[in-house]
């Protein structure tokens, strides 16, 4: 994010606050002038025309912006908007007193404009709160980076740092770019990215994401991405564009208002003119009465509550989700999330850590530590994940001084080496067969690494991908939400996949799949999803990108997930916790529920007052409540979405 964008963001923020102060000032001044006008009307003994000029002062002060918007709408071809309705209704109220037998309605005209401004004040406040809930993400934007160049530390803009350069991050500083720790230990505050308050411990070779805050120690980080490709840039870009995609509910309200408003204006015109025509002799006597009803009809029918509150609800839902480390790329995905009936998972990196670890050691000749000691030394130079798992299980391997010579890697079999004078073979069953060693299988599920020492079988080590701590809770939470089907698709071996699925309580599991196979399975599942329900796919790898695109809603792991997966997904979980899926569904359902409450409440009240207005049982005050009052209540209700 450039400094210019930062300046624009701050300018908008300050402008919004000054706009709120301006509206409050306008409302206070108008209220005082309205009281003065009412006193003059009561004690001044003025003519109708003189009284009009008295009330025009507060009317024009509070209504100037609305009248200007109405004129601009007419000039721009957007005639039938809420400003036009307010202008017609209030100008009619100011003029009605000049008709024979009609009473003046100057205070009512000013009050309609005044309360319209009150409604807009609450709308602006609520929208500001919604934007604040999203703009907190802007706080994660780093300002500078301290990069090592020619033996010196130079402070530059993060955009000027190249991939592969080393940056120094001191305590209290933001991490400016994604990278890997090459020196130092520390802890990171990741709350802005993940919503998690617990600091994350860091040491050498750990990955760091831009946007986090370094808490304790000085660390040196080798950058792995440019600033434009870094986590912080992508998150801010996602959230800046999130409200560009309108939900079906939002789009419906916008279309509804465009059709609804001209119908209302024509209906009000008919209400004012048609009934008096049935008594031509008394036309001028009955016309003021019907005109008054038509003006009330216009005020009541203004669709502000719908046009304002529904988009505001979705915007609040997006902001509330972002505070929990759930980035939803548009309010249209709120609709889809709320209707999920099937959730399909990738396994590795999604439900499991994607990190191999030693799960069990079964030794025939040595104790467990000795067997691990020998295996870890043989795998000393290996870059394979299995080698890393063995070395991690015996961390002192690199420093115990035990000599390792004659290392030989046998493709598809394993590794052979001389460890402190012993010939040690570490590999699969093919290796054991090739050297004539009789081996035995293990009852445990996982990758079995056999070990032979000096031509004799020494035992085996079970290595497995570790299930994430919150994966069981993730599946259980989805079941509680009424998700009817959970599915796991993986390229892993069938027995490993079935073991993970069984431990987590997943309904259906398909294993040994290629990326194209995953798409086929998702296609089949989509065709069997219940009517009115949607399907979500959750993944993290490059090979998951096609499936993420094909699903009704794609959910990616944003912390360690691939760029391709994050780009293809509709929802990104910043802390890689699958339990956030249920949270995202709950937030979307609550947001949709609040939006529907506003729609039905607004329509219900308006219909009731419109019916009363058409038969002469409604007053202008009731009309003001049905318009502005309902809008204010709907806006307050919409603000509940922020508390997700």
């Amino acid at each position: 994010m450039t400094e210019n964008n930062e300046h624009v963001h701050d300018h908008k923020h300050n402008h919004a606050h000054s706009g709120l102060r301006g509206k409050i000032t306008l409302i206070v001044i108008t209220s005082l002038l309205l009281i003065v006008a009412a006193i003059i009307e009561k004690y001044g003994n003025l003519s109708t025309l003189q009284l009009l000029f008295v009330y025009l002062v507060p009317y024009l002060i509070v209504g100037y912006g609305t009248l200007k918007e109405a004129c601009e709408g007419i000039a721009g071809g957007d005639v039938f908007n809420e400003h036009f309705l307010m202008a017609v209704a209030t100008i009619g109220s100011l003029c009605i007193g000049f008709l024979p037998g009609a009473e003046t309605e100057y205070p009512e005209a000013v009050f309609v404009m005044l309360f319209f401004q009150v409604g807009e004040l609450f709308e602006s406040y609520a929208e500001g709160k919604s934007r604040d809930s999203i703009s907190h993400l802007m706080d994660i934007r780093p300002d500078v980076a301290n990069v090592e160049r020619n033996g010196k530390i130079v402070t530059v803009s993060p955009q000027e740092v190249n991939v592969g350069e080393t940056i120094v991050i001191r305590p209290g500083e933001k991490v400016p770019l994604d990278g890997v720790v090459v020196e130092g230990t520390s802890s990171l505050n990741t709350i802005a990215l993940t919503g998690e308050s617990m600091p994350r411990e860091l040491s050498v070779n750990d990955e760091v994401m831009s946007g986090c805050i370094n808490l304790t120690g000085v660390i040196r980080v080798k950058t792995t991405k440019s600033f434009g490709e870094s986590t912080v840039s992508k998150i801010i870009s996602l959230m800046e564009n999130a409200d560009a995609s309108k939900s079906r509910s939002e789009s419906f309200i916008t279309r509804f208002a465009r059709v609804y408003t001209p119908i209302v204006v024509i209906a009000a015109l008919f209400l004012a003119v048609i009934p008096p025509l049935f008594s031509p002799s008394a036309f001028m006597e009955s016309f003021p009465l019907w005109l008054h009803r038509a003006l009330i009809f216009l005020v009541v029918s203004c669709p502000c509550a719908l046009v304002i509150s529904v988009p505001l609800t979705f915007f609040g839902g997006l902001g509330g989700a972002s505070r929990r480390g759930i980035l939803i790329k548009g309010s249209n995905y709120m609709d889809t999330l709320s209707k999920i009936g099937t959730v399909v998972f990738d396994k590795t990196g999604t439900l499991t850590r994607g990190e191999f670890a030693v799960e069990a050691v079964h030794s025939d000749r040595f104790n467990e530590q000795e067997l691990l000691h020998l295996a870890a030394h043989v795998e000393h130079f290996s870059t394979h994940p299995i080698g890393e798992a063995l070395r991690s299980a015996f961390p002192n391997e690199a420093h115990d001084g035990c000599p390792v010579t004659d290392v030989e890697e046998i493709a598809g079999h394993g590794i052979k080496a001389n460890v402190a004078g012993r010939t040690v073979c570490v590999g699969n069953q093919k290796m054991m067969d090739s050297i004539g060693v009789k081996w035995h299988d293990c009852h445990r599920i996982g990758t079995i690494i056999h070990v032979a020492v000096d031509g004799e079988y020494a035992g085996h080590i079970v290595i497995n991908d570790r299930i994430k701590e919150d994966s069981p809770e993730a599946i259980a939470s989805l079941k509680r939400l009424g998700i009817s089907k959970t599915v796991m698709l993986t390229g892993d071996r069938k027995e490993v996949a079935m073991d993970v699925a069984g431990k987590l309580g997943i309904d259906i599991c398909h294993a040994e799949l290629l990326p194209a196979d995953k798409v086929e399975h998702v296609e089949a599942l989509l065709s069997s999803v219940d009517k009115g329900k949607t399907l979500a796919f959750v993944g993290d790898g490059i090979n998951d990108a096609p499936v993420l695109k094909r699903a009704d809603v794609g959910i990616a792991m944003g912390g360690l997930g691939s760029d391709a997966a994050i780009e293809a997904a509709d929802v990104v979980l910043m802390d890689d916790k699958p339990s956030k899926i249920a949270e995202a569904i709950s937030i979307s359902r609550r947001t949709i529920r609040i939006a529907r409450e506003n729609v039905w409440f607004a329509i219900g009240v308006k219909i009731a007052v419109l019916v009363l207005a058409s038969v002469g049982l409604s007053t202008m005050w009731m009309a003001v409540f049905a318009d502005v009052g309902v809008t204010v209540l709907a806006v307050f209700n919409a603000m509940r979405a922020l508390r997700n």
Side-chain angles (χ1 to χ4, degrees):
M1 193 60 58
T2 64
E3 289 182 19
N4 184 53
N5 283 347
E6 183 176 349
H7 174 73
V8 168
H9 168 69
D10 292 339
H11 175 73
K12 286 181 178 178
H13 185 74
N14 294 333
H15 180 71
H17 280 286
S18 63
L20 280 175
R21 287 195 297 270
K23 282 186 187 299
I24 293 170
T25 304
L26 198 69
I27 289 166
V28 171
I29 291 172
T30 303
S31 301
L32 294 173
L33 289 173
L34 187 58
I35 293 169
V36 172
I39 294 170
I40 292 173
E41 180 181 9
K42 186 171 183 179
Y43 300 107
N45 196 24
L46 301 179
S47 67
T48 302
L49 184 59
Q50 290 170 326
L51 205 56
L52 172 63
F53 287 115
V54 170
Y55 278 100
L56 270 177
V57 176
Y59 173 81
L60 291 174
I61 287 174
V62 76
Y64 172 76
T66 303
L67 296 172
K68 183 171 177 257
E69 291 278 355
C71 292
E72 288 175 355
I74 294 169
D78 181 23
V79 178
F80 298 108
N81 54 42
E82 66 268 24
H83 301 286
F84 175 77
L85 290 182
M86 288 297 103
V88 171
T90 53
I91 291 171
S93 295
L94 291 172
C95 297
I96 198 171
F98 292 96
L99 294 172
E103 295 183 3
T104 59
E105 291 194 356
Y106 302 141
E108 286 85 346
V110 180
F111 263 112
V112 169
M113 278 296 188
L114 180 63
F115 278 101
F116 186 64
Q117 287 297 326
V118 170
E120 291 208 325
L121 172 68
F122 282 111
E123 175 203 347
S124 299
Y125 174 75
E127 188 171 319
K129 293 289 284 184
S130 295
R131 289 192 181 278
D132 284 347
S133 70
I134 287 179
S135 66
H136 80 281
L137 284 173
M138 297 301 180
D139 294 337
I140 69 178
R141 179 183 47 231
D143 302 315
V144 295
N146 299 313
V147 60
E148 288 186 349
R149 289 175 180 169
N150 302 321
K152 296 181 180 179
I153 296 177
V154 184
T155 301
V156 298
S157 169
Q159 290 95 325
E160 298 175 28
V161 180
N162 299 316
V163 174
E165 287 196 285
T166 300
I167 56 176
V168 177
I169 308 167
R170 303 179 184 91
E173 292 180 346
K174 294 173 189 169
V175 177
L177 297 113
D178 294 5
V180 176
V181 178
V182 293
E183 184 181 302
T185 59
S186 185
S187 56
L188 282 187
N189 178 344
T190 65
I191 192 167
L193 295 185
T194 67
E196 297 299 313
S197 57
M198 183 66 71
R200 188 180 127 214
E201 298 304 316
L202 273 185
S203 58
V204 174
N205 294 327
D206 284 342
E207 292 186 355
V208 293
M209 291 185 292
S210 54
C212 299
I213 297 174
N214 185 26
L215 294 178
T216 52
V218 177
I219 53 174
R220 294 173 70 245
V221 173
K222 185 177 181 181
T223 60
T224 55
K225 292 179 183 177
S226 65
F227 183 73
E229 293 297 313
S230 65
T231 302
V232 66
S233 292
K234 290 188 174 181
I235 292 171
I236 292 173
S237 175
L238 286 177
M239 292 314 300
E240 284 182 332
N241 297 321
D243 58 335
S245 303
K246 286 192 173 183
S247 72
R248 285 193 289 273
S249 301
E250 276 190 269
S251 301
F252 166 75
I253 292 301
T254 305
R255 293 195 306 271
F256 170 77
R258 285 179 189 152
V259 176
Y260 165 85
T261 307
I263 291 173
V264 161
V265 173
I266 294 167
L269 188 62
F270 284 172
L271 187 63
V273 176
I274 302 298
L277 291 177
F278 286 102
S279 53
S281 59
F283 180 85
M284 290 308 294
E285 292 178 15
S286 59
F287 179 65
L289 171 67
W290 288 102
L291 178 60
H292 181 253
R293 292 178 181 179
L295 294 173
I296 292 173
F297 190 92
L298 275 179
V299 173
V300 172
S301 59
C302 184
C304 303
L306 298 178
V307 175
I308 292 168
S309 68
V310 172
L312 198 60
T313 302
F314 282 100
F315 202 65
L318 291 173
S322 73
R323 286 188 176 277
R324 310 299 293 270
I326 302 166
L327 304 187
I328 302 173
K329 292 186 181 179
S331 53
N332 52 330
Y333 302 117
M334 285 277 190
D335 283 329
T336 314
L337 272 170
S338 69
K339 298 172 185 171
I340 286 176
T342 302
V343 180
V344 184
F345 293 91
D346 170 51
K347 180 183 78 70
T348 307
T350 302
L351 293 172
T352 64
R353 288 179 172 271
E355 301 170 358
F356 284 104
V358 171
E359 194 172 88
V361 179
H362 298 150
S363 180
D364 287 16
R365 291 177 54 195
F366 305 94
N367 63 41
E368 292 182 2
Q369 283 299 106
E370 286 178 312
L371 193 67
L372 271 176
H373 166 266
L374 292 169
H377 276 74
V378 169
E379 297 281 353
H380 177 77
F381 299 104
S382 173
T383 57
H384 193 279
I386 287 175
E388 292 179 8
L390 290 169
R391 291 196 300 273
S392 297
F394 195 80
N396 295 323
E397 165 264 332
H399 307 290
D400 65 0
C402 191
V404 180
T405 58
D406 304 327
V407 179
E408 180 186 358
E409 187 163 350
I410 305 166
H413 288 67
I415 299 178
K416 177 182 178 182
N418 186 293
V419 181
R422 292 173 171 173
T423 301
V424 182
C425 297
V426 178
N428 55 25
Q429 46 206 0
K430 291 179 184 177
M431 171 165 266
M432 297 298 108
D433 291 338
S434 69
I435 61 175
V437 169
K438 188 177 180 182
W439 56 274
H440 58 83
D441 210 345
C442 183
H443 65 281
R444 300 189 70 143
I445 302 296
T447 300
I448 311 300
I449 305 300
H450 298 279
V451 182
V453 179
D454 294 331
E456 291 186 36
Y457 190 64
H460 54 255
I461 300 166
V462 184
I463 292 177
N464 246 331
D465 187 3
R466 290 182 291 174
I467 293 174
K468 290 181 179 177
E469 289 81 356
D470 73 330
S471 288
E473 176 56 28
I475 304 301
S477 298
L478 290 172
K479 301 279 188 187
R480 287 195 294 270
L481 285 175
I483 302 302
S484 59
K485 191 184 293 182
T486 53
V487 183
M488 187 172 77
L489 305 178
T490 179
D492 210 340
R493 290 180 297 120
K494 186 173 182 179
E495 60 268 25
V496 174
M498 295 302 293
D499 181 57
V500 172
K503 288 176 180 176
L504 297 180
I506 290 174
D507 301 322
I508 301 170
C509 175
H510 298 286
E512 300 177 9
L513 303 177
L514 297 172
D517 300 328
K518 289 184 180 182
V519 175
E520 286 181 17
H521 277 285
V522 167
E523 291 276 7
L525 288 165
L526 281 167
S527 64
S528 65
V529 170
D530 295 337
K531 189 176 180 181
K533 293 292 184 180
T534 58
L535 177 144
F537 181 84
V538 191
D540 74 310
I542 293 174
N543 62 337
D544 294 326
V547 209
L548 287 163
K549 275 289 187 189
R550 182 62 192 90
D552 292 318
V553 58
I555 303 174
M557 299 292 159
L560 298 177
S562 73
D563 291 349
I566 293 169
E567 192 70 30
D570 309 309
V571 179
V572 181
L573 309 179
M574 289 314 303
D575 59 3
D576 287 348
K577 288 189 174 181
S579 58
K580 287 287 178 73
I581 300 164
E583 204 169 328
I585 294 171
S586 296
I587 288 171
S588 65
R589 287 180 180 177
R590 185 167 183 264
T591 302
I592 296 292
R593 186 172 66 249
I594 292 171
R596 285 177 179 162
E597 288 170 1
N598 282 341
V599 169
W600 289 113
F601 172 66
I603 290 175
V605 172
K606 284 181 182 293
I607 288 175
V609 180
L610 283 173
V611 171
L612 292 174
S614 62
V615 296
L617 296 177
S618 178
T619 65
M620 188 62 80
W621 301 112
M622 291 173 66
V624 169
F625 171 76
D627 175 38
V628 180
V630 167
T631 301
V632 170
L633 291 174
V635 166
F636 273 130
N637 194 39
M639 289 176 70
R640 289 168 50 219
L642 287 168
R643 297 198 298 270
N644 284 319

